[in-house]
């Protein structure tokens, strides 16, 4: 049984930092692309960042502030979030999809769309106060 578990969310002031972690079990982590997504109240879920075996992808809204990384030995993917803004407030979700299936494309508003994710976590809440 595959489990995807996020952690690291919380309440921080604007300008602060948080590091989200996502640990996956029940699959061969090296064979999977990982992604971070977020959903703010009243908005649709959006792709934030993704990483496979090559370069990472970022939505323009977080580029230069967020960094995704993965530790295959620990079956864990991280999202380091710096210079946080109130508009980053959202539930953040981690997801996994096979490297051979996942496709990342750029959306018209310079976000990212990540297709092919099979397994999702329950999310971790990030709240940024102004």
């Amino acid at each position: 049984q595959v489990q995807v578990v996020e952690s690291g969310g919380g309440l921080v002031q604007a300008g602060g930092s948080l590091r989200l972690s996502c640990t996956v079990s029940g699959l061969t982590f090296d064979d999977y692309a990982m992604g971070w997504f977020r959903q703010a109240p009243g908005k649709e879920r959006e792709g934030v960042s993704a990483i496979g075996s090559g370069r990472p992808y970022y939505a323009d809204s977080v580029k230069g502030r967020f960094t995704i990384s993965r530790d295959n030995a620990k079956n864990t993917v991280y999202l380091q979030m710096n210079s946080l803004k109130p508009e980053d407030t959202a539930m953040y979700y981690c997801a996994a999809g096979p490297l051979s299936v996942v496709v990342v494309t750029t959306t018209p508003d310079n976000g990212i769309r990540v297709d092919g994710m099979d397994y999702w976590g329950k999310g971790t809440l990030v709240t940024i106060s102004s």
Side-chain angles (χ1 to χ4, degrees), residues 40-53:
K43 295 189 176 181
E44 292 187 355
R45 187 176 65 198
E46 62 177 358
V48 174
S49 183
I51 187 168
S53 56

Side-chain angles (χ1 to χ4, degrees), residues 6-66:
E6 305 97 334
S7 61
L11 170 65
V12 298
Q13 289 188 329
S17 298
L18 281 174
R19 187 175 84 153
L20 306 184
S21 300
C22 170
T23 300
V24 183
S25 60
L27 51 74
T28 304
F29 190 73
D30 298 26
D31 294 340
Y32 280 76
M34 300 299 301
W36 285 98
F37 303 79
R38 67 186 181 186
Q39 187 167 18
K43 295 189 176 181
E44 292 187 355
R45 187 176 65 198
E46 62 177 358
V48 174
S49 183
I51 187 168
S53 56
R55 72 170 184 88
Y57 297 86
Y58 298 97
D60 269 13
S61 60
V62 305
K63 199 173 291 183
R65 300 188 298 121
F66 290 11

